[in-house]
Amino acid sequence: MGNRRNFLKSGLAAAAGLALSPWNTLEAASKKKAKGPGGPVVLSTWKFGIKANEEAWKVLAQNGYALDAVEQGVRIIESDPEERSVGYGGRPDRDGHVTLDACIMDDKANIGAVLCLEHIKNPISVARAVMEKTPHVILAGEGALQFALSQGFKKENLLVPESEREWRTWLKNSEYKPIINIENHDTIGMLALDAQGRLSGACTTSGMAFKMRGRIGDSPIIGAGLYVDQDAGAAVATGHGEEVIRVVGSHLVVMLMSQGLAPDEACKEAVKQIEKKFRLRGKDMKETQIGFLALSPDGRYGAYALQKGFNFALKSKAEPGKLINVPALLP
Ligand code: SD4
């Protein structure tokens, strides 16, 4: 632990001293003897991650690619109308539109994202198509929809009766007040390490319920909602996206891992940065939740949250399916 701290300090000092970028230490970190159990392993945010991990495992167990595993895994949640915070069935914005955000990243730093996409059930697959079939990395709104349709995705009504009912009830007071830790209110972020040691991640959401039209959170923003670096590790975020974007959260977690921090330590440091920014702005963080989840290239994992109540699902050969409660910074 002490050594790790010193390593962190010297890494950050080197960065501050301008002689070295923090990334210069990546090579050294990757050359350190692997301590973790290796792959395959898959992690997903929240309880619905158990179901998503099962699907991802079908790919991982057959020696498949982590990228395929994360896409297939989160699609299950996107397609489920009972899961009302992601994909089909997601809660709408304050004007009644279901707008979806998603991004995907592989071990070679290929990235793809869609922002504020309407009418398409599986935004993660559109994000992957952006990554693989366009010269761009992000498509938004109407352009994203046109692209999806050109790729053969089907246009559908995503507003299910239950979400519409909730929205109509909400309209009576029209008060934007997200409630923390409501299962069914959250993003699915998934990280996988395959049997060949390749990392990938996916993140998909309908965003904060009853948000302003056009609002984008952290989830489809590479670096904020998701980041993968094959040498350092991978991270995803869930919770109030505005706060995650402020510290470029997932990239921060991965950068801290590149400095030698274990996944849980890196997540904790990133949560502390978020707390610091709240204090700086004199804002109250009682009604805010943030959770980070991280996976190292050698299969170690960890998570940390601002408030109690965050959990994640784990599946590996040793752990056939488990929900883990995450420690929190605030009491
Ligand atoms: C967002 N981060 O749109 C998402 C929402 C979320 O748990 O993760 N809720 O800000």
Side-chain angles (χ1 to χ4, degrees):
M1 182 71 96
N3 284 343
R4 213 182 279 139
R5 289 249 159 75
N6 291 339
F7 182 45
L8 171 70
K9 275 193 199 136
S10 63
L12 292 176
L18 303 176
L20 282 176
S21 139
W23 295 104
N24 284 90
T25 58
L26 263 177
E27 211 185 331
S30 69
K31 279 184 184 153
K32 282 198 307 184
K33 200 173 169 330
K35 287 175 281 189
V41 56
V42 57
L43 313 171
S44 299
T45 55
W46 306 105
K47 191 171 157 201
F48 52 23
I50 291 180
K51 202 162 52 170
N53 287 356
E54 286 299 325
E55 195 65 22
W57 194 255
K58 291 180 190 165
V59 176
L60 295 173
Q62 288 175 16
N63 204 10
Y65 189 11
L67 183 67
D68 295 324
V70 295
E71 183 192 3
Q72 294 308 319
V74 302
R75 274 177 65 100
I76 287 287
I77 308 303
E78 286 182 336
S79 302
D80 186 345
E82 303 288 316
E83 301 295 0
R84 306 229 333 287
S85 60
V86 178
Y88 175 49
R91 291 185 180 81
D93 66 14
R94 68 183 190 181
D95 299 331
H97 307 278
V98 180
T99 67
L100 304 177
D101 298 333
C103 72
I104 194 158
M105 183 162 190
D106 72 13
D107 53 310
K108 300 174 198 73
N110 290 306
I111 53 176
V114 286
L115 280 58
C116 215
L117 174 65
E118 292 179 57
H119 308 302
I120 305 289
K121 215 182 226 176
N122 294 118
I124 199 66
S125 296
V126 185
R128 184 164 178 182
V130 170
M131 170 170 116
E132 292 176 341
K133 297 186 179 158
T134 80
H136 308 302
V137 296
I138 303 174
L139 290 178
E142 185 59 25
L145 175 61
Q146 291 312 321
F147 169 69
L149 297 176
S150 78
Q151 296 298 306
F153 288 87
K154 205 167 107 214
K155 189 168 179 178
E156 291 175 75
N157 174 22
L158 303 182
L159 186 63
V160 300
E162 190 51 38
S163 287
E164 184 171 356
R165 242 191 318 274
E166 258 187 64
W167 169 59
R168 293 202 182 279
T169 306
W170 177 83
L171 277 178
K172 289 180 190 151
N173 293 320
S174 301
E175 200 188 350
Y176 180 69
K177 209 173 172 201
I179 306 159
I180 65 169
N181 292 329
I182 300 283
E183 183 69 44
N184 236 343
H185 171 92
D186 295 296
T187 296
I188 181 150
M190 178 182 276
L191 304 173
L193 175 68
D194 66 29
Q196 295 177 47
R198 297 169 295 192
L199 284 168
S200 290
C203 190
T204 178
T205 190
S206 53
M208 303 306 267
F210 319 129
K211 61 196 175 184
M212 287 175 72
R213 178 134 177 85
R215 180 264 184 191
I216 306 292
D218 60 318
S219 303
I221 309 292
I222 293 289
L226 170 71
Y227 200 73
V228 177
D229 182 283
Q230 184 57 33
D231 292 326
V236 278
T238 184
H240 288 69
E242 284 76 2
E243 306 311 323
V244 178
I245 292 172
R246 212 180 300 285
V247 300
V248 199
S250 293
H251 183 266
L252 176 58
V253 171
V254 172
M255 203 187 75
L256 289 163
M257 287 163 74
S258 83
Q259 302 296 296
L261 262 68
D264 58 337
E265 293 170 336
C267 291
K268 185 172 181 178
E269 283 302 319
V271 170
K272 280 189 182 167
Q273 284 302 314
I274 286 180
E275 186 206 26
K276 200 168 130 192
K277 303 295 185 220
F278 266 104
R279 293 196 192 287
L280 193 62
R281 290 178 300 135
K283 299 265 186 198
D284 181 14
M285 56 198 142
K286 235 180 24 238
E287 298 303 326
T288 303
Q289 173 63 307
I290 304 292
F292 289 110
L293 175 59
L295 178 61
S296 72
D298 59 12
R300 288 169 296 140
Y301 55 83
Y304 208 80
L306 185 62
Q307 317 257 4
K308 291 197 179 91
F310 176 42
N311 50 32
F312 71 93
L314 159 73
K315 189 166 173 72
S316 66
K317 270 193 197 131
E319 297 286 357
K322 186 167 159 183
L323 193 65
I324 298 175
N325 289 324
V326 173
L329 192 65
L330 302 181

